[in-house]
Amino acid sequence: MSEYQGKTYQDAVLKAQQDLNKPQAELTITVVDPGRRGLFGLGARPVKIEAVVKKVVEPATPILSSSPEEVAPVQQEEPAEQTPQLIEELVATEQPEGAPDGQLSPAEIAARHEQNLHRMSAAATKLVDYLEQAYRALGVDVSATVQSSGAKDVTIELNAPTPGRVIGYHGRRINAFEVLSVAFLNYQGVKDAQVTLDSEGYRAKRAKTITRIGERAVTDVIASGQAVFLDPMPARERKLLHKQLEDNPNVKTYSQGREPFRSVVIAPK
């Protein structure tokens, strides 16, 4: 059995028939990799199949006689007509129903989503143990609990007798552990995960603080006509500020710097 690949399933089948040099052959096809288009060409993967000759349709052999007039007429199927028909039959058999070329069927999408949920659930359980051990190494007795979990996101509550030591100055410690948590999940096979660590309602309180910071900064920008550079913030807090001020007619916002020292700038329009 040989392996062939192409941009689409039909391309792979055509390459298999051309390589085997048997356009009238019936092939046994096994899909090794259904492939994917990727996003804007990134992460694209070709379709891979394994093909082996199952049966060869031989043309009928004419019966020869001493007289040309006595030769029985033989009707043969044209290879050019049978090849497309064969491809259509194979596609109908192997291609999931309702899935356009190069796209996954709804059933396959649902199956992969379930796999992602299971992978995140298992990784989140390991992350809880990792966080408890890491905080314990800093002398903080923490009990971590998964509050919610999706295919690409997880929220974990950190409970401790001293929440301030869990959060750190201006949230620096808990934000640092969020960065570590993303790296930990990536190592466990969960790519591009969104992790939220919270303790004693800190995230909600911090959101209110960020809103007040934005309001005061807008007042300073309008009064002075100069841009205001805020302290470095994690991505979640920067997005909150951008969303808060996106409709303000007097100021504009943008981020500058590199992580973990990236900050928001509020400037006059």
Short mmCIF file of all heavy atoms in Angstrom, two decimals, residues 107-137:
data_model
loop_
_atom_site.label_atom_id
_atom_site.label_comp_id
_atom_site.label_asym_id
_atom_site.label_seq_id
_atom_site.Cartn_x
_atom_site.Cartn_y
_atom_site.Cartn_z
N ALA A 107 -20.26 16.57 12.26
CA ALA A 107 -19.97 15.48 13.20
C ALA A 107 -18.50 15.48 13.61
O ALA A 107 -18.16 15.27 14.78
CB ALA A 107 -20.34 14.14 12.57
N GLU A 108 -17.61 15.74 12.63
CA GLU A 108 -16.18 15.78 12.94
C GLU A 108 -15.85 16.97 13.82
O GLU A 108 -15.03 16.88 14.74
CB GLU A 108 -15.38 15.84 11.64
CG GLU A 108 -13.87 15.90 11.83
CD GLU A 108 -13.29 14.63 12.43
OE1 GLU A 108 -13.98 13.58 12.38
OE2 GLU A 108 -12.17 14.68 12.95
N ILE A 109 -16.48 18.11 13.57
CA ILE A 109 -16.27 19.30 14.40
C ILE A 109 -16.70 19.03 15.84
O ILE A 109 -16.01 19.37 16.80
CB ILE A 109 -17.03 20.51 13.82
CG1 ILE A 109 -16.43 20.92 12.46
CG2 ILE A 109 -17.01 21.69 14.79
CD1 ILE A 109 -17.20 22.01 11.77
N ALA A 110 -17.87 18.39 16.00
CA ALA A 110 -18.36 18.08 17.34
C ALA A 110 -17.42 17.10 18.05
O ALA A 110 -17.15 17.24 19.25
CB ALA A 110 -19.76 17.49 17.26
N ALA A 111 -16.91 16.11 17.30
CA ALA A 111 -16.00 15.13 17.91
C ALA A 111 -14.71 15.80 18.37
O ALA A 111 -14.20 15.52 19.46
CB ALA A 111 -15.70 14.02 16.91
N ARG A 112 -14.17 16.71 17.56
CA ARG A 112 -12.94 17.39 17.94
C ARG A 112 -13.16 18.33 19.12
O ARG A 112 -12.29 18.50 19.97
CB ARG A 112 -12.38 18.17 16.74
CG ARG A 112 -11.92 17.28 15.60
CD ARG A 112 -11.08 18.03 14.60
NE ARG A 112 -10.62 17.15 13.53
CZ ARG A 112 -9.73 17.50 12.62
NH1 ARG A 112 -9.19 18.70 12.64
NH2 ARG A 112 -9.36 16.64 11.68
N HIS A 113 -14.35 18.95 19.16
CA HIS A 113 -14.67 19.82 20.30
C HIS A 113 -14.70 19.01 21.59
O HIS A 113 -14.19 19.47 22.63
CB HIS A 113 -16.01 20.51 20.07
CG HIS A 113 -16.41 21.44 21.17
ND1 HIS A 113 -15.72 22.60 21.44
CD2 HIS A 113 -17.42 21.38 22.08
CE1 HIS A 113 -16.28 23.22 22.48
NE2 HIS A 113 -17.30 22.49 22.88
N GLU A 114 -15.28 17.82 21.53
CA GLU A 114 -15.31 16.96 22.71
C GLU A 114 -13.90 16.57 23.14
O GLU A 114 -13.60 16.52 24.33
CB GLU A 114 -16.14 15.70 22.41
CG GLU A 114 -17.64 15.91 22.43
CD GLU A 114 -18.14 16.31 23.82
OE1 GLU A 114 -17.60 15.80 24.82
OE2 GLU A 114 -19.05 17.15 23.88
N GLN A 115 -13.04 16.29 22.17
CA GLN A 115 -11.66 15.97 22.49
C GLN A 115 -10.96 17.15 23.17
O GLN A 115 -10.20 16.96 24.14
CB GLN A 115 -10.90 15.58 21.21
CG GLN A 115 -11.35 14.27 20.61
CD GLN A 115 -10.64 13.97 19.30
OE1 GLN A 115 -9.84 14.78 18.81
NE2 GLN A 115 -10.93 12.82 18.72
N ASN A 116 -11.21 18.37 22.67
CA ASN A 116 -10.60 19.56 23.27
C ASN A 116 -11.10 19.78 24.70
O ASN A 116 -10.33 20.17 25.59
CB ASN A 116 -10.90 20.80 22.43
CG ASN A 116 -10.17 20.78 21.09
OD1 ASN A 116 -9.14 20.12 20.95
ND2 ASN A 116 -10.70 21.48 20.11
N LEU A 117 -12.40 19.54 24.93
CA LEU A 117 -12.95 19.68 26.27
C LEU A 117 -12.31 18.68 27.23
O LEU A 117 -11.95 19.02 28.37
CB LEU A 117 -14.47 19.47 26.24
CG LEU A 117 -15.31 20.58 25.61
CD1 LEU A 117 -16.77 20.16 25.54
CD2 LEU A 117 -15.18 21.88 26.38
N HIS A 118 -12.17 17.44 26.77
CA HIS A 118 -11.55 16.41 27.61
C HIS A 118 -10.09 16.74 27.89
O HIS A 118 -9.62 16.58 29.03
CB HIS A 118 -11.67 15.05 26.91
CG HIS A 118 -11.02 13.93 27.68
ND1 HIS A 118 -11.58 13.39 28.82
CD2 HIS A 118 -9.85 13.26 27.48
CE1 HIS A 118 -10.79 12.45 29.30
NE2 HIS A 118 -9.74 12.33 28.51
N ARG A 119 -9.38 17.24 26.88
CA ARG A 119 -7.96 17.58 27.06
C ARG A 119 -7.81 18.72 28.07
O ARG A 119 -6.94 18.69 28.95
CB ARG A 119 -7.34 17.97 25.72
CG ARG A 119 -5.83 18.23 25.80
CD ARG A 119 -5.27 18.65 24.47
NE ARG A 119 -5.38 17.60 23.47
CZ ARG A 119 -6.19 17.64 22.41
NH1 ARG A 119 -6.96 18.71 22.21
NH2 ARG A 119 -6.23 16.65 21.55
N MET A 120 -8.68 19.74 27.95
CA MET A 120 -8.61 20.87 28.88
C MET A 120 -8.96 20.43 30.30
O MET A 120 -8.32 20.84 31.27
CB MET A 120 -9.55 21.99 28.43
CG MET A 120 -9.67 23.14 29.43
SD MET A 120 -8.10 23.96 29.79
CE MET A 120 -8.10 25.18 28.47
N SER A 121 -9.97 19.58 30.45
CA SER A 121 -10.37 19.12 31.77
C SER A 121 -9.23 18.37 32.46
O SER A 121 -8.94 18.60 33.65
CB SER A 121 -11.60 18.21 31.65
OG SER A 121 -11.97 17.70 32.92
N ALA A 122 -8.56 17.50 31.71
CA ALA A 122 -7.44 16.75 32.29
C ALA A 122 -6.27 17.67 32.62
O ALA A 122 -5.64 17.55 33.67
CB ALA A 122 -7.00 15.65 31.32
N ALA A 123 -6.00 18.63 31.73
CA ALA A 123 -4.88 19.56 31.96
C ALA A 123 -5.18 20.50 33.13
O ALA A 123 -4.29 20.85 33.90
CB ALA A 123 -4.60 20.36 30.69
N ALA A 124 -6.45 20.92 33.27
CA ALA A 124 -6.82 21.82 34.37
C ALA A 124 -6.64 21.14 35.72
O ALA A 124 -6.24 21.78 36.71
CB ALA A 124 -8.26 22.28 34.20
N THR A 125 -6.92 19.83 35.78
CA THR A 125 -6.72 19.09 37.03
C THR A 125 -5.24 19.10 37.42
O THR A 125 -4.89 19.29 38.59
CB THR A 125 -7.21 17.65 36.87
OG1 THR A 125 -8.61 17.65 36.54
CG2 THR A 125 -7.01 16.86 38.15
N LYS A 126 -4.38 18.91 36.44
CA LYS A 126 -2.94 18.95 36.71
C LYS A 126 -2.49 20.37 37.07
O LYS A 126 -1.59 20.55 37.92
CB LYS A 126 -2.16 18.45 35.50
CG LYS A 126 -2.43 17.00 35.16
CD LYS A 126 -1.65 16.56 33.93
CE LYS A 126 -1.91 15.11 33.58
NZ LYS A 126 -1.18 14.67 32.37
N LEU A 127 -3.12 21.37 36.43
CA LEU A 127 -2.75 22.76 36.72
C LEU A 127 -3.08 23.13 38.17
O LEU A 127 -2.32 23.86 38.82
CB LEU A 127 -3.47 23.70 35.75
CG LEU A 127 -3.28 25.20 35.97
CD1 LEU A 127 -1.80 25.57 35.88
CD2 LEU A 127 -4.08 26.00 34.96
N VAL A 128 -4.20 22.63 38.67
CA VAL A 128 -4.57 22.89 40.07
C VAL A 128 -3.48 22.39 41.01
O VAL A 128 -3.07 23.11 41.94
CB VAL A 128 -5.93 22.22 40.38
CG1 VAL A 128 -6.15 22.14 41.89
CG2 VAL A 128 -7.06 23.00 39.73
N ASP A 129 -3.00 21.18 40.79
CA ASP A 129 -1.93 20.64 41.64
C ASP A 129 -0.65 21.47 41.51
O ASP A 129 0.04 21.73 42.50
CB ASP A 129 -1.63 19.18 41.24
CG ASP A 129 -2.80 18.25 41.55
OD1 ASP A 129 -3.60 18.60 42.44
OD2 ASP A 129 -2.91 17.20 40.90
N TYR A 130 -0.35 21.89 40.27
CA TYR A 130 0.85 22.70 40.04
C TYR A 130 0.78 24.02 40.80
O TYR A 130 1.76 24.44 41.45
CB TYR A 130 1.02 22.95 38.55
CG TYR A 130 2.07 23.98 38.21
CD1 TYR A 130 3.42 23.68 38.26
CD2 TYR A 130 1.69 25.27 37.84
CE1 TYR A 130 4.38 24.64 37.96
CE2 TYR A 130 2.64 26.24 37.53
CZ TYR A 130 3.98 25.91 37.59
OH TYR A 130 4.92 26.86 37.29
N LEU A 131 -0.37 24.69 40.75
CA LEU A 131 -0.51 25.98 41.43
C LEU A 131 -0.40 25.84 42.94
O LEU A 131 0.26 26.65 43.61
CB LEU A 131 -1.86 26.61 41.05
CG LEU A 131 -1.99 27.12 39.61
CD1 LEU A 131 -3.44 27.51 39.32
CD2 LEU A 131 -1.07 28.30 39.36
N GLU A 132 -1.01 24.81 43.49
CA GLU A 132 -0.94 24.61 44.93
C GLU A 132 0.51 24.35 45.38
O GLU A 132 0.96 24.89 46.39
CB GLU A 132 -1.84 23.43 45.33
CG GLU A 132 -3.32 23.74 45.19
CD GLU A 132 -4.20 22.57 45.55
OE1 GLU A 132 -3.67 21.43 45.68
OE2 GLU A 132 -5.42 22.77 45.71
N GLN A 133 1.23 23.54 44.59
CA GLN A 133 2.62 23.26 44.94
C GLN A 133 3.50 24.50 44.79
O GLN A 133 4.39 24.75 45.61
CB GLN A 133 3.15 22.12 44.07
CG GLN A 133 2.48 20.78 44.32
CD GLN A 133 2.96 19.70 43.38
OE1 GLN A 133 4.02 19.83 42.77
NE2 GLN A 133 2.19 18.63 43.27
N ALA A 134 3.26 25.28 43.72
CA ALA A 134 4.07 26.47 43.48
C ALA A 134 3.87 27.51 44.58
O ALA A 134 4.83 28.11 45.08
CB ALA A 134 3.74 27.06 42.11
N TYR A 135 2.61 27.74 44.98
CA TYR A 135 2.35 28.70 46.06
C TYR A 135 2.91 28.18 47.38
O TYR A 135 3.41 28.95 48.21
CB TYR A 135 0.85 28.97 46.18
CG TYR A 135 0.37 30.14 45.37
CD1 TYR A 135 -0.33 29.96 44.18
CD2 TYR A 135 0.62 31.45 45.80
CE1 TYR A 135 -0.78 31.04 43.44
CE2 TYR A 135 0.17 32.54 45.06
CZ TYR A 135 -0.53 32.33 43.88
OH TYR A 135 -0.96 33.41 43.15
N ARG A 136 2.81 26.87 47.58
CA ARG A 136 3.34 26.30 48.82
C ARG A 136 4.85 26.51 48.90
O ARG A 136 5.40 26.71 49.98
CB ARG A 136 3.00 24.81 48.88
CG ARG A 136 3.21 24.18 50.26
CD ARG A 136 2.69 22.76 50.31
NE ARG A 136 1.26 22.72 50.06
CZ ARG A 136 0.72 22.08 49.02
NH1 ARG A 136 1.49 21.44 48.16
NH2 ARG A 136 -0.58 22.08 48.87
N ALA A 137 5.52 26.46 47.74
CA ALA A 137 6.96 26.69 47.72
C ALA A 137 7.29 28.13 48.13
O ALA A 137 8.41 28.41 48.59
CB ALA A 137 7.52 26.39 46.33
#
